[in-house]
Amino acid sequence: MDFVMKENEDGTLASIVNNSDRTGMNWVTVGKKWGELFLPEGITGRIERRIDANGSMIEKYILSNKRDREYFPQKGEVGIAVPFPDNYTAAEICMRERCHAHIRCGKSQTYIAGMRMSGLGPDLGLVLRKGQVECYSIERNMDKISNDRGTIILNPKIKPLKPDEETSIEWSIFWFDGQEEFEEKLIHQECQLLISLEKGVYFEGEEVCFHIKADEKVWGEKELEVILGKEKIPLEKSVNSGCVEYTVRIMDARQGEKHFSICCGEYETSAAIFVQPKIQKLAWKRCEFIAEKQQYIQDGSPLDGAFLIYDNEDKRLVYEKEYDHNGGRERVGMGALIALWLQSGKNKKLENALQKYTEYVYRELFDKNTGVVYNDIGRDNTWNRLYNYPWMAVFFMERYKLFKEITDIQNMYKIMMSYYDQNGISFYAIGIPMLESVELLKAADLVEEADRLLSCYEEHGQRIIKNSLCYPAHEVKYEQSIVAPAVSYLLQLYELTGKEVYLEEGKKQLAVLKLFNGHQPDYHMYENAIRHWDGYWFGKYKNYGDTFPHYWSALSGLVFREYGKITGDSEYDKMAENSLRGVLSAFHEDGSASCAYVYPYRVNQVKCAYEDPWANDQDWAL
């Protein structure tokens, strides 16, 4: 038997181990109970567990109403803990003993694909067999701040129960190896469907298309309905290799969320996509919004000219000395975005806003003599944060491409040299434009500077190769935005030097990066990376919890695009497009924006599933 389990007295599990796994990874988070029930007073539960003929573990949770009156369950009120070990510690431990848990709570179509962070199987899957799960909640250990994703709690949707009436939820737990095998096993689970999006985010006028695949023996004669709003969508049906496939198409989609209901008898699930204006229009509206509502103008103030947080709920600017709410750091992305947009068209209002912001940067955030980048106004470097350096370098790089003023590219060079003077080779900063910076310096006849910077980049690349999958801890101990920069820099160095060692190590680390991304049929999650702390640090409501999407997920898209360009692999081109589009639901048609969507229904008993009202640092996505 592949399953080796340690059961507690109450029927919960303290450990789940694959008997063939040399690492002996426990698939239950240490100190947590798999199958722990969260129930209101008067509702009881018990667990039945068995191994079926296919070697899968079948868990059945029976819930009983012991009240003297009928029980009407409310959303999120009933919970079942499935504490997959999705948390961060030292990278080498993560590679052996942690997983990415890709969660899908789509009523009848519910699953978790637990993918080991190393990419080396066995992986653990959970697929619903009977009942419905409508959402999930999270219980986090706050002492671990950003490093603990928390205990996953599945919230079933159950009908009202009469006194002494019972209902049950049942799922299958099985071993698999990689995404393809998970999808294959999902299709052949009892009464399940595989819903595959072609894109999560579309632009207006594009054809929306997604696919529904099922086991022909189970579904071949059943009538499947797909409904958008009140309209039944005609389906294209084909049969191949024992599977029936339905294709859903909508021509010339209009802006907004599209929520498709997918039904067949008692089976009920959904797919969700989002349609945005064309990218140039979306970016233009965002730039206009920044210039009109997020730039502070006040003569004599140190913040004069700054781009600040905007509270879309209360319609006001926000500035706090708290690091992620201040006048520098990630918010430099607003200036970089405007400089980028202006390269495609003139606009006096935006040019004036950019010039005013540039004056602010010189006065408060940047020393043009040393290349030092400050953390906040007043040239405050209480925390000399290395992440700030490449972001400011990108700002001046975009200004150079816009105005062709040599000072801007010299600033970029000084900033990156200052970064490396401060042991930048040990730090996996986000957004270093290695390829573009060297090419621009050479084109500007700054050849010596280009060569010096390339030498620093190569030293950085050698450190990344030496560390390999033992990633150094940063502000979070291990995360997607440590791995993505590492792969990006290796691929950029391959393009700059042609040295195969960079490409080979890049491939190795790319395999680990891909595992952060989910494939659920919901634009929030589709090709978006797992992140679960940004809403706390950057949002108004300061809640931890899965942020689907978060704009730094696009770092993976940049890497996929680079790899596709180098190798000609069209699969990576498709992944890149979907990853880069995946973050765009953070922006609205009127130019407003949100720094994070906190996805779980509840986190530590606080109601979530909301878009944070602060427009803060998300503009790097555009």
Side-chain angles (χ1 to χ4, degrees), residues 378-510:
R379 299 197 166 196
D380 181 356
N381 244 6
T382 306
W383 180 358
N384 184 28
R385 189 182 187 230
L386 287 181
Y387 278 123
N388 297 338
Y389 283 73
W391 299 335
M392 190 65 79
V394 168
F395 168 71
F396 280 111
M397 182 182 75
E398 297 299 349
R399 271 190 54 91
Y400 174 73
K401 290 192 291 181
L402 173 62
F403 296 118
K404 299 296 187 293
E405 294 175 359
I406 197 69
T407 302
D408 287 321
I409 197 170
Q410 290 170 333
N411 286 341
M412 178 194 73
Y413 169 74
K414 289 176 186 177
I415 289 166
M416 291 313 304
M417 293 305 293
S418 178
Y419 170 85
Y420 284 112
D421 285 344
Q422 300 174 71
N423 196 31
I425 65 164
S426 299
F427 194 78
Y428 293 23
I430 294 169
I432 300 176
M434 290 185 175
L435 179 64
E436 199 166 5
S437 62
V438 171
E439 289 179 343
L440 287 173
L441 286 166
K442 286 182 177 178
D445 291 328
L446 298 172
V447 177
E448 288 186 15
E449 288 85 347
D451 290 342
R452 286 194 207 101
L453 194 51
L454 178 56
S455 178
C456 292
Y457 289 159
E458 286 221 67
E459 191 177 1
H460 199 168
Q462 290 301 315
R463 180 64 60 90
I464 292 169
I465 291 172
K466 180 181 177 182
N467 291 337
S468 193
L469 302 184
C470 295
Y471 297 95
H474 286 59
E475 292 177 5
V476 181
K477 289 183 179 179
Y478 176 72
E479 55 161 314
Q480 172 256 355
S481 55
I482 297 173
V483 182
V487 186
S488 174
Y489 303 151
L490 292 168
L491 296 181
Q492 289 184 72
L493 282 167
Y494 172 74
E495 290 199 81
L496 282 166
T497 69
K499 295 178 182 178
E500 289 291 331
V501 64
Y502 294 125
L503 181 57
E504 290 307 308
E505 183 65 24
K507 287 179 183 178
K508 177 181 174 182
Q509 299 195 32
L510 176 61

Side-chain angles (χ1 to χ4, degrees), residues 49-324:
R49 193 175 286 116
R50 62 184 173 86
I51 304 296
D52 72 4
N54 297 317
S56 298
M57 179 168 65
I58 309 301
E59 287 194 323
K60 186 176 183 179
Y61 293 83
I62 300 103
L63 308 176
S64 302
N65 180 12
K66 299 302 182 184
R67 296 176 177 179
D68 61 0
R69 60 196 181 280
E70 202 157 353
Y71 167 55
F72 290 83
Q74 300 302 299
K75 186 174 183 179
E77 190 173 46
V78 172
I80 304 170
V82 285
F84 281 77
D86 189 348
N87 51 68
Y88 300 142
T89 182
E92 53 267 36
I93 296 174
C94 288
M95 294 298 135
R96 295 194 307 268
E97 302 173 16
R98 300 293 187 270
C99 77
H100 302 294
H102 296 290
I103 308 167
R104 161 67 170 167
C105 293
K107 296 184 179 177
S108 300
Q109 194 214 39
T110 291
Y111 58 77
I112 300 178
M115 315 283 288
R116 291 179 70 143
M117 292 184 182
S118 65
L120 302 175
D123 301 316
L124 187 68
L126 180 155
V127 173
L128 190 67
R129 286 163 54 95
K130 295 178 182 177
Q132 293 188 355
V133 177
E134 60 182 336
C135 57
Y136 71 95
S137 299
I138 294 287
E139 286 294 321
R140 292 180 71 111
N141 180 348
M142 298 300 286
D143 291 338
K144 293 186 177 180
I145 53 174
S146 302
N147 296 300
D148 177 46
R149 187 180 182 187
T151 299
I152 299 164
I153 300 169
L154 298 181
N155 300 126
K157 182 179 182 181
I158 56 179
K159 63 182 180 63
L161 297 176
K162 297 175 184 177
D164 293 322
E165 187 178 6
E166 293 185 343
T167 190
S168 65
I169 298 290
E170 185 176 306
W171 50 58
S172 172
I173 299 171
F174 54 88
W175 304 106
F176 68 96
D177 189 5
Q179 180 68 24
E180 287 186 15
E181 186 173 326
F182 176 79
E183 292 180 357
E184 183 66 22
K185 289 194 172 187
L186 172 63
I187 292 170
H188 299 299
Q189 292 291 312
E190 185 175 330
C191 296
Q192 271 300 345
L193 299 171
L194 172 65
I195 305 167
S196 301
L197 302 184
E198 289 200 356
K199 295 182 177 69
V201 174
Y202 288 82
F203 296 124
E204 278 187 313
E206 292 183 332
E207 176 189 85
V208 171
C209 181
F210 66 90
H211 309 276
I212 306 168
K213 190 181 284 189
D215 188 317
E216 185 188 10
K217 293 178 182 177
V218 178
W219 290 89
E221 301 302 319
K222 296 181 179 180
E223 184 180 352
L224 192 70
E225 285 190 347
V226 177
I227 299 168
L228 177 61
K230 296 181 179 179
E231 181 184 356
K232 184 176 177 180
I233 307 298
L235 305 177
E236 302 169 21
K237 183 178 177 181
S238 61
V239 178
N240 185 35
S241 302
C243 288
V244 56
E245 183 170 330
Y246 302 90
T247 299
V248 182
R249 297 183 194 276
I250 296 183
M251 307 300 291
D252 195 23
R254 298 300 176 189
Q255 199 271 334
E257 183 181 81
K258 310 296 178 189
H259 190 274
F260 297 84
S261 295
I262 301 168
C263 307
C264 182
E266 293 184 358
Y267 190 95
E268 178 187 5
T269 189
S270 61
I273 61 97
F274 200 88
V275 181
Q276 284 283 31
K278 295 286 174 56
I279 188 68
Q280 281 288 351
K281 180 180 178 183
L282 190 67
W284 153 245
K285 294 299 290 184
R286 178 66 192 134
C287 290
E288 189 177 45
F289 189 99
I290 291 169
E292 289 181 356
K293 297 190 176 182
Q294 293 194 238
Q295 187 165 43
Y296 183 66
I297 304 296
Q298 182 63 57
D299 286 345
S301 168
L303 285 168
D304 183 40
F307 293 133
L308 301 177
I309 295 169
Y310 184 78
D311 186 332
N312 290 287
E313 190 173 53
D314 293 336
K315 312 298 183 190
R316 65 184 68 182
L317 288 170
V318 176
Y319 169 83
E320 298 170 354
K321 286 295 288 181
E322 188 175 340
Y323 290 128
D324 295 314

Side-chain angles (χ1 to χ4, degrees), residues 504-524:
E504 290 307 308
E505 183 65 24
K507 287 179 183 178
K508 177 181 174 182
Q509 299 195 32
L510 176 61
V512 170
L513 176 65
K514 287 166 57 179
L515 299 171
F516 284 91
N517 280 31
H519 301 85
Q520 301 94 313
D522 179 341
Y523 68 90
H524 292 95

